[in-house]
Amino acid sequence: MKTRTIGTAEVSALGIGAMSFSDFYGETSEAESHALLDRAREVGVSHIDTSNIYGAGRSETVIGSWLAAHPGARDAVHIATKAGIGSDAAGKRVINNSPAYMEAQLDASLKRLGTDHVDLFYAHRYQADLPPEEVAGTLARLVEKGKCRSIGFSEIAPATLRRAASEYPVAAVQSEYSLQTRAPELGLIQTCAELGTALVAFSPVGRSLLTDAPIPRARIETNPFLSVNPRFTLPNHDFNLRALVPFRELAADMGLSTASLAIAWGLHKGEHIVSIPGTRSLAHLDELVAGANAVLTPEDMARIETVLPVGWCHGDRYAPGQWVGPQNYC
C-alpha cells in the first residue's frame, strides 16, 4: 500500500471513510463493519476517518468495539474524527466551533472510540463568524492537552486554510474531490501542497456514480440525502449515468473496475492526497485497494480526463440545505 503523510504520521494513501458504518447509504451491521476493518488491516489500510455525527456516534462506537476486540490494533491505525456540526432546538443545523463545545464533543468521541486520543481532530465545518486563527488555536489547545495529535478542517476555502495555518500547523483539510467534483483544483490542492497539509478526499467514487454498480433509482428515492441531491435527482441522474458509459469502458479497457480507476486518478493528482472512500462491501474494498495500488502514466491520466472532462457532471454537488457549512470559494 502506498503511503502519504498527515502531520508527522505516515498513513496509507487509501483510508476508510467510516460514514458507511452508520447506515447512511444503506443498512449495515457491526459485524459487517468489523469484517471491513479486519480486511483493511490485512491489506495495509491504516487510516480510519469518522465523525461524531455519523449515525449519532454509531460509527465511532463500531470502531471502538473493533479496537477493543483487537488488542494492539490501536497502535497500528491512524484515527481521525470530527466535530462542529450540531442542531438547535428546532432541529436546524448549526455550526459551533467554540472551545467548550469542541472539547466536550471530542471527549465524547474518545469515550465511544475507547482511546485516550485521536491522531487527527477536524473542525467538521468552520464557523464563519469566528476568525479561523481562533478556531485553529482552539484545536491546538486540544493537542497540548494530549487529546489529539494533529488538527484539521473540513470543507474550507484556501484563504481560510492560510489564516488557520498562520496560527498552528494544519495537518489535513478534508474536502470532496473526485472526477465529478474538481473545485479543489482551483486553489485548495495547491495551497495544501504549499503548506504541507494533506488533502483528504472524501466521496472519491462520487457517492457510487463512479463505480460499476451505482446506487439504483429505488434506493436513491428512499435516501434522505441522495433523494434531494441535485446530481441524483431527475433528469440529472439519467444524464450522469449516460455520461459515465465511456469512463466505464475505459476502465475495463485498462483492466480495472470503474471504482479502481476513479481512486487511482485521484491519488495520482498529488502526493499529498489521501483518499477515504466508504463501503459496506468486502469486494468493493478490494476494488478500492486495487485502485490505490494501480500505476497510471501521464497518458492514462489524459485519457481519463478526455472521457470525463472538467464540468461533465450534471447538477450541483449539494442541494441548498446541504450547503450549510461548507465554504464555497469558487
Side-chain angles (χ1 to χ4, degrees), residues 196-237:
T197 297
L199 177 71
V200 179
F202 73 84
S203 296
V205 295
R207 306 184 194 278
S208 86
L209 282 177
L210 297 166
T211 74
D212 291 313
I215 294 172
R217 188 78 235 155
R219 274 182 51 205
I220 290 171
E221 291 172 354
T222 61
N223 183 286
F225 179 88
L226 295 179
S227 62
V228 297
N229 185 277
R231 292 180 174 176
F232 291 85
T233 55
L234 297 174
N236 289 341
H237 185 235

Side-chain angles (χ1 to χ4, degrees), residues 7-32:
T8 60
E10 185 178 23
V11 306
S12 56
L14 184 80
I16 294 292
M19 181 185 281
S20 57
F21 297 171
S22 65
D23 293 347
F24 189 83
Y25 290 114
E27 186 175 352
T28 190
S29 69
E30 181 177 81
E32 289 170 324

Side-chain angles (χ1 to χ4, degrees), residues 55-315:
R58 179 180 167 191
S59 175
E60 291 177 330
T61 299
V62 167
I63 295 166
S65 62
W66 179 78
L67 291 173
H70 296 77
R74 177 66 187 93
D75 293 335
V77 294
H78 184 270
I79 297 177
T81 195
K82 303 179 281 290
I85 299 176
S87 57
D88 61 18
K92 182 180 178 181
R93 173 179 281 200
V94 295
I95 310 302
N96 188 344
N97 292 168
S98 68
Y101 182 82
M102 294 297 282
E103 185 166 11
Q105 294 301 309
L106 178 55
D107 287 343
S109 292
L110 295 177
K111 184 175 181 179
R112 286 188 290 268
L113 290 163
T115 184
D116 64 354
H117 74 280
V118 291
D119 300 287
L120 172 62
F121 184 50
Y122 300 94
H124 201 164
R125 294 291 185 269
Y126 164 61
Q127 184 179 337
D129 60 352
L130 290 178
E133 298 89 344
E134 182 178 322
V135 179
T138 292
L139 299 176
R141 284 185 284 277
L142 297 175
V143 176
E144 293 167 0
K145 291 183 177 184
K147 296 182 180 184
C148 58
R149 295 288 187 261
S150 61
I151 74 167
F153 288 79
S154 182
E155 299 264 49
I156 61 168
T160 302
L161 170 58
R162 289 186 185 281
R163 289 181 60 185
S166 72
E167 176 67 22
Y168 191 84
V170 178
V173 170
Q174 187 181 105
S175 186
E176 183 173 355
Y177 183 51
S178 72
L179 275 161
Q180 69 189 42
T181 299
R182 297 182 62 177
E185 294 174 9
L186 296 176
L188 186 59
I189 287 178
Q190 297 89 336
T191 303
C192 285
E194 177 188 336
L195 297 177
T197 297
L199 177 71
V200 179
F202 73 84
S203 296
V205 295
R207 306 184 194 278
S208 86
L209 282 177
L210 297 166
T211 74
D212 291 313
I215 294 172
R217 188 78 235 155
R219 274 182 51 205
I220 290 171
E221 291 172 354
T222 61
N223 183 286
F225 179 88
L226 295 179
S227 62
V228 297
N229 185 277
R231 292 180 174 176
F232 291 85
T233 55
L234 297 174
N236 289 341
H237 185 235
D238 287 342
F239 283 125
N240 288 333
L241 291 178
R242 287 196 292 272
L244 283 163
V245 171
F247 180 63
R248 292 197 177 90
E249 292 173 345
L250 176 61
D253 184 59
M254 295 173 70
L256 293 168
S257 75
T258 301
S260 296
L261 188 56
I263 292 294
W265 174 88
L267 291 176
H268 279 73
K269 295 296 284 188
E271 290 296 317
H272 61 305
I273 295 174
V274 176
S275 183
I276 54 164
T279 183
R280 298 171 295 136
S281 161
L282 291 175
H284 189 216
L285 176 61
D286 288 343
E287 288 184 54
L288 302 170
V289 171
N293 290 329
V295 176
L296 301 180
T297 66
E299 292 74 22
D300 293 331
M301 295 292 283
R303 291 172 71 194
I304 292 166
E305 295 185 21
T306 296
V307 298
L308 286 184
V310 175
W312 68 269
C313 193
H314 294 254

